[in-house]
């Protein structure tokens, strides 16, 4: 069974850092892209960052320069280093993957999702 499991969320203050992790199991994702999305209360799920299988990255404008996505294909894991956190970063963060290497920021294009991890940034 293919599974993604996020960890590392929590409650922090504005300006702090957090590191989210996503562990994949059930198959290797080393040849497929992986991404982070987030969903704030009452809002739609939104793209945060993307990394393809060779390590090329893309970010939402709102997190560019503050967040860094990376992956370890040997360990089948992905991380999101979040620095200079702001209250507007508060959301449930999800990792996702898909069986195509086309770059896309649409949640509907991703077939595999984790259960999410809550990130809360207080002001």
């Amino acid at each position: 069974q293919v599974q993604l499991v996020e960890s590392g969320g929590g409650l922090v203050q504005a300006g702090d850092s957090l590191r989210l992790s996503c562990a994949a199991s059930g198959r290797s994702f080393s040849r497929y892209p992986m991404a982070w999305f987030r969903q704030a209360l009452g809002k739609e799920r939104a793209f945060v960052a993307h990394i393809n299988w060779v390590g090329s990255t893309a970010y939402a404008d709102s997190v560019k320069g503050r967040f860094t996505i990376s992956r370890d294909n040997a360990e089948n894991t992905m991380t999101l280093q979040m620095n200079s956190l702001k209250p507007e970063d508060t959301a449930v963060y999800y990792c996702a993957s898909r069986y195509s290497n086309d770059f896309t920021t649409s949640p509907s294009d991703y077939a595999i999702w984790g259960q999410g991890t809550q990130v809360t940034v207080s002001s």
Side-chain angles (χ1 to χ4, degrees), residues 22 28 74:
C22 174
S28 172

Side-chain angles (χ1 to χ4, degrees), residues 16-65:
D16 286 351
S17 297
L18 268 180
R19 186 178 180 90
L20 304 184
S21 296
C22 174
S25 62
R27 68 165 293 155
S28 172
F29 287 90
S30 62
R31 292 284 183 173
Y32 298 103
M34 299 188 77
W36 288 97
F37 288 80
R38 66 187 181 186
Q39 188 164 17
L41 195 62
K43 296 189 177 181
E44 295 185 352
R45 195 165 297 190
F47 169 76
V48 174
H50 174 278
I51 185 166
N52 69 9
W53 72 283
V54 295
S56 296
T57 60
Y59 298 92
D61 287 344
S62 59
V63 307
K64 204 171 293 183

Side-chain angles (χ1 to χ4, degrees), residues 9-122:
L11 171 63
V12 297
Q13 293 186 333
D16 286 351
S17 297
L18 268 180
R19 186 178 180 90
L20 304 184
S21 296
C22 174
S25 62
R27 68 165 293 155
S28 172
F29 287 90
S30 62
R31 292 284 183 173
Y32 298 103
M34 299 188 77
W36 288 97
F37 288 80
R38 66 187 181 186
Q39 188 164 17
L41 195 62
K43 296 189 177 181
E44 295 185 352
R45 195 165 297 190
F47 169 76
V48 174
H50 174 278
I51 185 166
N52 69 9
W53 72 283
V54 295
S56 296
T57 60
Y59 298 92
D61 287 344
S62 59
V63 307
K64 204 171 293 183
R66 299 187 297 122
F67 291 10
T68 302
I69 188 173
S70 60
R71 67 189 298 165
D72 184 332
N73 287 337
E75 296 292 328
N76 227 16
T77 59
M78 174 177 67
T79 62
L80 184 69
Q81 178 66 41
M82 305 186 295
N83 298 330
S84 302
L85 283 162
K86 304 175 181 180
E88 51 263 45
D89 295 319
T90 295
V92 177
Y93 283 71
Y94 299 89
C95 66
S97 189
R98 60 195 297 261
Y99 296 122
S100 170
N101 281 307
D102 297 340
F103 171 65
T104 175
T105 62
S106 174
S108 63
D109 291 331
Y110 289 80
I112 307 153
W113 291 88
Q115 83 289 349
T117 185
Q118 176 71 46
V119 172
T120 303
V121 184
S122 64

